[in-house]
């Protein structure tokens, strides 16, 4: 970025992985768009900063923060205790839920639990995930690494599902809805694998930015901007 054309507050360098609609995707102009890009733009405006977005592999985001090549991650990233050892999370700005995508004719089905909730058992199935995501971490823990097939992004995992190379994909619900809408013959199982909070991540070295972003996000929550950005992309 050319430092001569920056806003007074400098440049806010955001990292994301733009294969995750409606949080982030590449629009028809080749720009990163979506909920996270719009929230980051609103935060940057409040801070008098210019927003610069870099699209990279999801698993590279935390290392990039730690290396100082980006300042902030907004990537539908789940607040997770192991990540919180490595980076600071802002206050949460959205919630997510892990779901299971299967072919319409799959024999994988939710089973009613003693408490009346629905759960799905993926034992013995080949599960596709995006590398380094919570879906990856949970499925590796629950079903073993040998049953989990990692893909660089959700669309590649879904393509493998469509081609019959894997039995299901575990991924966040809103992207899952997009992927299912974009492909024939898939459905989302009526079960929530895990409920999660999304937050932005910032280097532990940059507590000043953490405070600034939390303050800006609080204003955006209070004045309704945050909800209106989410409502633009997600219909309840
Ligand atoms: N919420 C999940 C996680 O934090 C998946 C996020 C994937 N985000 C993305 N932009 N591809 O692990």
């Amino acid at each position: 970025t050319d430092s001569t054309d920056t806003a007074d507050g400098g440049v806010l360098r955001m990292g994301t992985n733009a294969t995750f609609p409606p949080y982030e995707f590449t629009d028809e102009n080749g720009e990163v768009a979506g909920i996270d890009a719009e929230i980051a733009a609103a935060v940057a405006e409040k801070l008098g900063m210019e927003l610069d977005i870099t699209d990279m592999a999801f698993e590279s985001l935390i290392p990039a923060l730690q290396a100082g090549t980006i300042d902030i991650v907004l990537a539908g990233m789940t607040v997770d205790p192991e990540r919180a050892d490595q980076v600071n999370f802002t206050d949460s700005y959205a919630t997510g839920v892990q779901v299971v995508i299967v072919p319409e004719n799959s024999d994988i089905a939710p089973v009613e639990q003693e408490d009346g909730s629905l759960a799905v058992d993926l034992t013995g199935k080949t599960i596709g995930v995006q590398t380094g995501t919570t879906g990856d971490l949970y499925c590796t823990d629950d079903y073993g690494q040998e049953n989990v097939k990692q893909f660089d992004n959700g669309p590649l995992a879904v393509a493998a599902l469509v081609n019959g190379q894997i039995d299901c994909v575990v991924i966040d619900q809103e992207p899952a809805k997009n992927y299912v809408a974009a492909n024939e013959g898939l459905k989302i199982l009526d079960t929530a694998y895990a409920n999660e909070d999304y937050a932005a991540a910032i280097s532990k070295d940059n507590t000043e930015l953490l405070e600034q972003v939390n303050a800006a996000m609080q204003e955006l929550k209070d004045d309704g901007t945050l909800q209106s950005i989410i409502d633009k992309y997600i219909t309840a």
Side-chain angles (χ1 to χ4, degrees):
T1 310
D2 182 352
S3 61
T4 57
D5 62 19
T6 61
D8 290 352
V11 179
L12 183 64
R13 297 168 305 165
M14 165 181 154
T16 197
N17 172 251
T19 62
F20 203 69
Y23 298 98
E24 42 268 337
F25 52 92
T26 304
D27 71 12
E28 58 281 4
N29 304 317
E31 305 280 338
V32 176
I35 293 171
D36 286 331
E38 291 204 25
I39 292 175
V43 166
E45 193 184 345
K46 289 238 178 253
L47 303 184
M49 298 176 87
E50 183 195 334
L51 181 65
D52 180 50
I53 303 180
T54 304
D55 184 16
M56 62 182 83
F58 184 76
E59 59 184 326
S60 302
L61 291 167
I62 287 180
L65 273 183
Q66 291 177 312
T69 55
I70 54 173
D71 305 307
I72 191 166
V73 169
L74 278 95
M77 185 177 272
T78 303
V79 178
D80 153 283
E82 278 167 39
R83 291 175 182 161
D85 283 343
Q86 300 174 277
V87 293
N88 282 330
F89 281 107
T90 64
D91 298 330
S92 177
Y93 62 85
T95 56
V97 49
Q98 295 296 309
V99 298
V100 184
I101 309 175
V102 293
E104 265 162 10
N105 61 359
S106 172
D107 64 351
I108 303 175
V111 175
E112 192 167 329
Q113 307 298 291
E114 275 171 31
D115 66 359
S117 68
L118 290 171
V120 66
D121 185 0
L122 302 177
T123 304
K125 302 297 181 187
T126 305
I127 308 163
V129 296
Q130 182 179 20
T131 307
T133 58
T134 48
D136 183 5
L137 305 174
Y138 301 151
C139 290
T140 301
D141 274 358
D142 290 352
Y143 302 105
Q145 199 172 355
E146 63 281 7
N147 295 306
V148 177
K149 201 162 166 12
Q150 296 179 317
F151 294 87
D152 285 344
N153 57 56
L156 287 175
V158 170
L161 183 63
V162 169
N163 292 335
Q165 291 159 345
I166 56 176
D167 298 315
C168 59
V169 170
V170 172
I171 201 150
D172 305 51
Q173 171 165 267
E174 293 302 328
K177 286 184 191 164
N178 273 267
Y179 303 148
V180 167
N183 289 276
E184 296 273 302
L186 301 180
K187 64 178 180 183
I188 296 173
L189 292 181
D190 186 17
T191 172
Y193 191 50
N195 291 299
E196 310 187 313
D197 290 318
Y198 293 166
I202 294 173
S203 162
K204 291 213 186 264
D205 299 332
N206 203 349
T207 50
E208 190 188 339
L209 182 65
L210 181 72
E211 283 167 26
Q212 291 175 322
V213 171
N214 273 334
M217 276 195 186
Q218 189 58 52
E219 288 178 28
L220 296 169
K221 285 181 191 173
D222 291 344
D223 72 9
T225 304
L226 200 120
Q227 193 58 49
S228 72
I229 292 171
I230 292 174
D231 290 347
K232 210 172 122 180
Y233 292 95
I234 299 176
T235 44

